[in-house]
Amino acid sequence: MAQDSGTQGAGQPPASTAGGGQASTRAGQAAPAAATPRRGMPRRVRLILLVAAVAVVAGALLYWLHARQYEDTDDAQLDGHIHPISARINGTVIAVNPEVRENHFVAAGTVLVQIDPADYQAELARAQADLDRVRAAAAASQADIPVISANATGQLAAAQAGLAGARHAVDTERANLRAALAKVQQAQAQFHRAEDDRKRYAALLDKQEISRSEYEQRATDARNAQAALEAAQADAVAAENRVAQAESRVAEQEANLVKARTAPQQISEAQQKSTSAGAEMARAQAQLETARLNLSYTRIVAPVSGIVGRKSVEVGQRVQPGQELLTIVQLDDIWVTANFKETQLRLMHPGQPATIHVDAYGRDLEGHVESIAPATGARFSLLPPENATGNFVKVVQRLPVRIRIDSPQDPDHPLRPGMSVEATVKVR
C-alpha cells in the first residue's frame, strides 16, 4: 500500500500541485493570446483595393461621361443611287456596247444600247414634210391679211359711194318724173284745147261757115296735140320706170353696203385663219420635235458613271417603253442610312459629326448627320401597323437618319450600297 502510494505520489503530483498546474497551464495559454495582437488584412492590400475601387468608379464615371456624348447603332447600311436604265420607245435592239458588262465600270454619256432607228427616221422625215407644208400655208394666210383688208375696205368705200350715187339718181329720176308729169298735164291741156277747137271748127264746117282748109288746120293741131300728149305720157311712164330702176339700184347698193360693212369681220377671219395656221405650224413643229426625240431615244446612253448590274438586254431583243434593260450603281455618291431608336434622337440634329465603321473593310470613316427622316420606318412600310384595334404593345420605334460620308477617305476600298456598317453620332 505504501509502495502504491509512493508510486502514485512519485508518478503523479499532489492534488494541489496538479490543480495549480492546470491553472498555470490555462493561464499560460491565455497569456500569449492576450499578449499577441489579432492579425487582419494588410494595410498595403487595403490601400490597393481602395485605389482599385476608386479607379473602377472613376473609369465607370469617365466611360459614362464619354458614352453619353455618343449615340450608336449597328442597324445601318450604305445606300446609294441605283439607276434603272430602260427603253423609252419600242423597237429592236441592233447593238449592245461590248463594254456594257455586269460589274464593269461605264462612264456617263457612254452609248449602252442601239435600237433600230429606221422607223423613227421615216417618222422624222414625214414630220419635217408636214411642217414645211403647214409653214407655207401659214405664210400664205399671213400674206392674205393685207390683201383682204384692202379689198374689204375698198368694197366698203365703193358701196358707200355707190349708195350715195344711187340715191342721187333716184332724186334725179323723180325730178324727171315730175317734169314728165307736168309735160303730160301741159300736153293734155293743149290737146283738150286743140280738140275743142277742132270740134268747134267741125261744127262751123258743117254750117259751111269756114273753109275746109281752116278745119284741116285745126284737126292737124288736134292730132299734133294728141301725139304730143301720148309722147308726154310715154315720157312719164319711162320716167316712172327710171325711178323704179334707180330705187332698185339703191336697194342693190344698200345690200352691197351691208355686205361691205362685214369688212372688219373679213379682216378678223383672215387674221384668225393666220392664227390657226400658226397654231398648226406649232403643232407640226411639236410633232417634228417629238419625232426627233424618238430618233434620239434609239441611242440609250449612261446618265451617270457607275458599275453595271443586272444586265438583261441582248441583240435582237424586242423592247418596249419602260422595260428595264440594266442598272447602273453610282459609287461616287454614297451615304449611310442608320436606324436609330426614337429614344436616341433627343439630342441628334443635322450637322453633328459621325463615325462609320465599315464591317467589310474593318475601317472607320468620318461623316456628318445630313437629315432625319420625317416619319418612322414603319410608316413607310407597305402595310403600316394599325393600333386602333386595342391590341397595343408599346415598341420602341426606329427612324432612319441619313449620314453623309465626308470627301473620299479610302479610295482603295470602294463602298457598295447595301454594305453593313455601324454608325456613331457625337450628340454632345
Side-chain angles (χ1 to χ4, degrees):
M1 288 295 292
Q3 184 178 359
D4 294 340
S5 300
T7 304
Q8 184 179 4
Q12 296 179 354
S16 58
T17 305
Q22 291 176 356
S24 62
T25 302
R26 285 195 297 270
Q29 292 176 352
T36 303
R38 180 185 297 177
R39 297 182 59 85
M41 185 179 299
R43 184 176 182 181
R44 182 178 181 182
V45 174
R46 288 199 303 271
L47 182 59
I48 292 174
L49 292 177
L50 178 60
V51 171
V54 172
V56 169
V57 172
L61 179 61
L62 291 176
Y63 176 78
W64 178 79
L65 291 175
H66 175 76
R68 69 191 294 267
Q69 299 179 5
Y70 298 90
E71 297 290 352
D72 59 63
T73 180
D74 58 0
D75 184 5
Q77 61 280 331
L78 295 175
D79 271 337
H81 297 288
I82 300 178
H83 300 267
I85 308 300
S86 59
R88 303 183 68 172
I89 56 174
N90 55 15
T92 303
V93 177
I94 60 175
V96 177
N97 192 331
E99 298 180 1
V100 179
R101 292 175 292 170
E102 288 192 354
N103 307 330
H104 283 69
F105 176 83
V106 292
T110 302
V111 178
L112 306 175
V113 178
Q114 177 69 53
I115 299 175
D116 188 2
D119 294 340
Y120 299 99
Q121 289 172 343
E123 184 68 19
L124 178 62
R126 186 188 66 81
Q128 183 65 56
D130 289 343
L131 177 60
D132 294 340
R133 175 181 58 81
V134 173
R135 182 181 285 118
S141 298
Q142 186 66 28
D144 286 343
I145 293 178
V147 176
I148 293 175
S149 178
N151 290 338
T153 304
Q155 289 176 357
L156 177 60
Q160 290 173 342
L163 179 60
R167 287 174 176 173
H168 180 70
V170 168
D171 294 338
T172 301
E173 295 301 330
R174 284 176 179 172
N176 292 334
L177 176 61
R178 288 192 295 271
L181 292 175
K183 288 181 180 180
V184 169
Q185 291 177 352
Q186 182 180 4
Q188 283 179 343
Q190 291 177 355
F191 170 71
H192 290 314
R193 185 176 64 253
E195 183 64 19
D196 290 341
D197 289 343
R198 184 191 67 77
K199 289 180 179 179
R200 186 171 63 255
Y201 274 79
L204 293 175
L205 180 61
D206 291 340
K207 294 178 180 181
Q208 296 182 355
E209 293 180 356
I210 59 172
S211 63
R212 180 165 290 276
S213 60
E214 291 177 343
Y215 171 76
E216 290 296 335
Q217 181 65 38
R218 296 294 181 269
T220 300
D221 291 341
R223 287 193 297 272
N224 291 336
Q226 185 179 5
L229 175 60
E230 291 175 355
Q233 289 175 342
D235 289 340
V237 171
E240 288 179 351
N241 293 334
R242 287 194 297 272
V243 169
Q245 292 176 359
E247 289 176 345
S248 66
R249 284 195 295 271
V250 168
E252 181 181 355
Q253 293 300 326
E254 287 178 344
N256 290 337
L257 179 60
V258 171
K259 181 179 179 181
R261 282 175 177 169
T262 61
Q265 290 80 359
Q266 295 177 14
I267 297 173
S268 176
E269 182 180 359
Q271 292 174 343
Q272 290 176 358
K273 287 183 179 179
S274 177
T275 302
S276 177
E280 285 292 323
M281 185 171 67
R283 184 181 64 84
Q285 287 176 337
Q287 290 180 343
L288 177 63
E289 185 63 24
T290 299
R292 186 177 290 113
L293 288 174
N294 288 336
L295 180 61
S296 68
Y297 295 153
T298 59
R299 297 172 69 253
I300 301 177
V301 300
V304 296
S305 300
I307 304 298
V308 176
R310 206 164 57 190
K311 170 180 170 290
S312 61
V313 61
E314 298 295 341
V315 175
Q317 181 178 353
R318 184 74 179 178
V319 296
Q320 301 295 329
Q323 179 179 345
E324 185 173 322
L325 307 179
L326 53 94
T327 58
I328 296 179
V329 182
Q330 188 177 357
L331 300 183
D332 57 358
D333 187 12
I334 300 294
W335 66 89
V336 174
T337 299
N339 299 304
F340 284 93
K341 297 178 182 178
E342 55 186 325
T343 55
Q344 296 178 288
L345 300 178
R346 183 170 62 90
L347 300 176
M348 194 174 298
H349 57 80
Q352 292 175 330
T355 301
I356 301 98
H357 177 77
V358 183
D359 295 349
Y361 305 131
R363 301 180 63 89
D364 291 340
L365 303 177
E366 299 300 325
H368 62 276
V369 176
E370 185 176 66
S371 62
I372 300 175
T376 63
R379 288 298 173 185
F380 288 113
S381 63
L382 182 61
L383 298 174
E386 178 56 61
N387 295 326
T389 58
N391 300 323
F392 174 70
V393 177
K394 186 175 183 179
V395 178
V396 177
Q397 300 296 316
R398 290 180 179 267
L399 278 84
V401 175
R402 174 174 290 196
I403 299 175
R404 177 65 60 179
I405 300 175
D406 294 340
S407 58
Q409 304 168 41
D410 191 5
D412 296 333
H413 298 85
L415 303 177
R416 299 288 193 275
M419 285 183 171
S420 297
V421 297
E422 296 178 4
T424 303
V425 178
K426 191 176 189 305
V427 297
R428 295 178 186 273

